[in-house]
Amino acid sequence: MSEGTPPSLPEGVERREIGGRERLATRGEPVYGEPTDGPWRAWDPSRSKLGAMLELGMDTGLEGDETVLYLGAASGTTVSHVADFSGPTYAVEFAPRPTRDLLEAAASRPRLFPLLKDARKPETYAHVVESDVDVVVQDVATRGQADVATRNRQFLAEDGRLLLAVKARSEDVTADPDAVFDRVREELEESYEVLEVRRLDAYHVDHLGVVARPRVV
């Protein structure tokens, strides 16, 4: 990729005109009332941190067909898009109510595997999730977001990627977001090499997108 050229989208993600404007889109059954065009469903970056990272041109390293561990799947808004273009996608969600919606999203997606588990306790799903996954996507609104990423590093292949959305207010609602981001990044760098960071405020206020890879121990 030449300098100044935006990173390519993963195979299975396209920019298509839906509802009168160009949008990111994947092929699959709609999940959250998103606009569609035939088999294509719009991927709303204002409802998806990963969608925002792609929309803003971050180099996620996603190519399509990767094995994915998704932490903080909620009701399936983003992870359903991920499962539309990826390989096996393990979706971890702690709360029972959104997990019921996640199960509905998975009904038409044979590669999407919902897990009612706590992302802070990876030992509870280590027997299910295969080792050497290609990508960990993390969108967990909790204190200790770097710690969650560190605990789940065990699942990543050596050349895998962590795609992390840091929510400043979940770490410390009273602190300056930049200070929070600096602290989370410092903690994260004990286990990961940070490749790219970008504020996601255009779509998600006080959020930071992070692309990282595991440090070789």
Side-chain angles (χ1 to χ4, degrees):
M1 184 172 63
S2 61
E3 186 176 353
T5 302
S8 59
L9 294 171
E11 186 176 350
V13 181
E14 295 186 6
R15 294 189 182 276
R16 301 182 67 89
E17 185 169 321
I18 300 177
R21 63 187 179 89
E22 188 179 84
R23 303 168 183 253
L24 292 174
T26 61
R27 295 172 67 102
E29 292 292 324
V31 168
Y32 53 99
E34 67 274 26
T36 60
D37 178 20
W40 292 90
R41 50 192 293 249
W43 191 348
D44 185 350
S46 68
R47 298 188 63 171
S48 168
K49 302 353 178 277
L50 180 58
M53 292 169 71
L54 291 171
E55 191 68 70
L56 293 169
M58 293 187 71
D59 190 359
T60 63
L62 288 169
E63 296 179 353
D65 203 35
E66 290 93 349
T67 300
V68 177
L69 171 60
Y70 194 105
L71 307 175
S75 59
T77 297
T78 298
V79 75
S80 62
H81 284 290
V82 173
D84 285 347
F85 67 85
S86 292
T89 302
Y90 301 93
V92 175
E93 174 51 42
F94 176 69
R97 177 62 188 90
T99 299
R100 290 198 290 270
D101 294 332
L102 177 60
L103 286 168
E104 291 184 17
S108 62
R109 294 175 170 85
R111 294 175 295 185
L112 179 56
F113 305 103
L115 301 171
L116 180 59
K117 300 292 183 181
D118 187 340
R120 296 169 297 183
K121 300 176 180 179
E123 67 275 8
T124 64
Y125 48 88
H127 63 293
V128 177
V129 178
E130 59 192 87
S131 59
D132 293 337
V133 303
D134 301 304
V135 180
V136 170
V137 181
Q138 181 178 323
D139 182 13
V140 180
T142 185
R143 187 183 295 271
Q145 292 165 82
D147 182 62
V148 172
T150 298
R151 289 173 181 266
N152 284 273
R153 180 190 179 281
Q154 62 182 291
F155 298 110
L156 263 178
E158 286 188 4
D159 59 347
R161 289 289 183 273
L162 169 70
L163 306 179
L164 168 63
V166 181
K167 184 177 182 180
R169 293 175 184 172
S170 293
E171 290 288 340
D172 189 338
V173 72
T174 65
D176 176 73
D178 285 330
V180 172
F181 296 147
D182 287 345
R183 184 172 69 249
V184 171
R185 178 170 179 171
E186 182 179 350
E187 294 172 359
L188 191 67
E189 286 180 333
E190 295 178 8
S191 301
Y192 291 90
E193 178 187 355
V194 175
L195 304 176
E196 184 179 2
V197 297
R198 183 157 182 173
R199 291 284 294 257
L200 306 181
D201 295 79
Y203 300 102
H204 302 276
V205 175
D206 294 338
H207 282 73
L208 183 74
V210 180
V211 180
R213 64 186 174 197
R215 288 194 180 278
V216 178
V217 178

